[in-house]
């Protein structure tokens, strides 16, 4: 097989079929997002399940998400925290938050999810700390701001996941003028340099093309 975006997608669809399966609540959340004309940039199904498994592997009971979008990843993580667990999720767009609220409630995990509407930089200072897992998936230009708050709102042992660190390989383009790529790269440098974190990153190919995740531990 040639390594092409089509082949990545076919293999990802296969993995999704055998490891994730059909999921009416999640599919309804995606349909609602599409119907509302929101960007279709949620995490891939296999990545949503990865977030769910990470939450459970860590025994996380308090999860923070920055970037709710339509609530797809939120539902995956809310399922992982258990009935007594809580997900606080921050969404800058009020219209997106409304769509997410309906989908999260319809998925049966509404009691576990607290959606805070506002820009991350405004909402994060209002939160109490002690999060067990933090998922950063919002405007890439602010990744260093979000990582700084992740260190403050976490504790030693908190797991931090950052979406979209691959960006079609553009992170190595020193001449890029793409502010998302620059923000992503600055976040990665911070994870490498800032003594509050120990981190790595994995590139991925699949339904979202060539991208990846950073995984960090607050030390
Ligand atoms: C973009 C943002 C995302 O969170 C994502 O997963 C893919 C793309 C973007 O803004 O380009
Ligand atoms: Mg993303």
């Amino acid at each position: 097989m040639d390594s092409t975006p089509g082949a990545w997608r076919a293999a990802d669809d296969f993995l999704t079929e055998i490891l994730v399966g059909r999921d009416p609540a999640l599919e309804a959340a995606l349909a609602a997002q599409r119907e509302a004309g929101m960007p279709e940039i949620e995490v891939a199904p296999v990545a949503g399940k990865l977030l769910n498994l990470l939450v459970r592997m860590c025994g996380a009971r308090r999860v923070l998400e920055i970037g709710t979008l339509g609530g797809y990843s939120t539902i995956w993580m809310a399922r992982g925290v258990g009935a007594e667990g809580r997900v606080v999720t921050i969404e800058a767009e009020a219209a997106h938050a409304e769509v997410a609220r309906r989908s999260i409630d319809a998925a049966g995990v509404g009691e576990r999810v607290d959606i805070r509407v506002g820009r991350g930089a405004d909402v994060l200072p209002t939160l109490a700390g002690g999060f067990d897992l933090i998922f950063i998936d919002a405007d890439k230009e602010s990744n260093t701001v979000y990582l700084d708050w992740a260190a403050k709102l976490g504790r030693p042992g908190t797991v931090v996941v950052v979406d979209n660190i691959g960006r079609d390989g553009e992170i190595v383009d020193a001449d890029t003028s793409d502010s998302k790529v620059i923000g992503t790269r600055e976040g990665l440098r911070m994870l490498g340099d800032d003594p509050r974190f120990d981190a790595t990153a994995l590139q991925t190919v699949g339904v979202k093309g060539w991208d990846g995740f950073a995984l960090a531990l607050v030390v």
Side-chain angles (χ1 to χ4, degrees), residues 22-38:
R22 300 295 307 276
D23 195 312
L26 288 169
E27 286 163 24
L30 295 183
Q33 182 178 285
R34 191 176 313 117
E35 211 161 297
M38 293 162 61

Side-chain angles (χ1 to χ4, degrees), residues 41 43 137 140 163-164 208:
I41 54 171
V43 299
D137 189 17
K140 313 312 171 192
D163 195 24
N164 311 115
K208 294 193 68 177

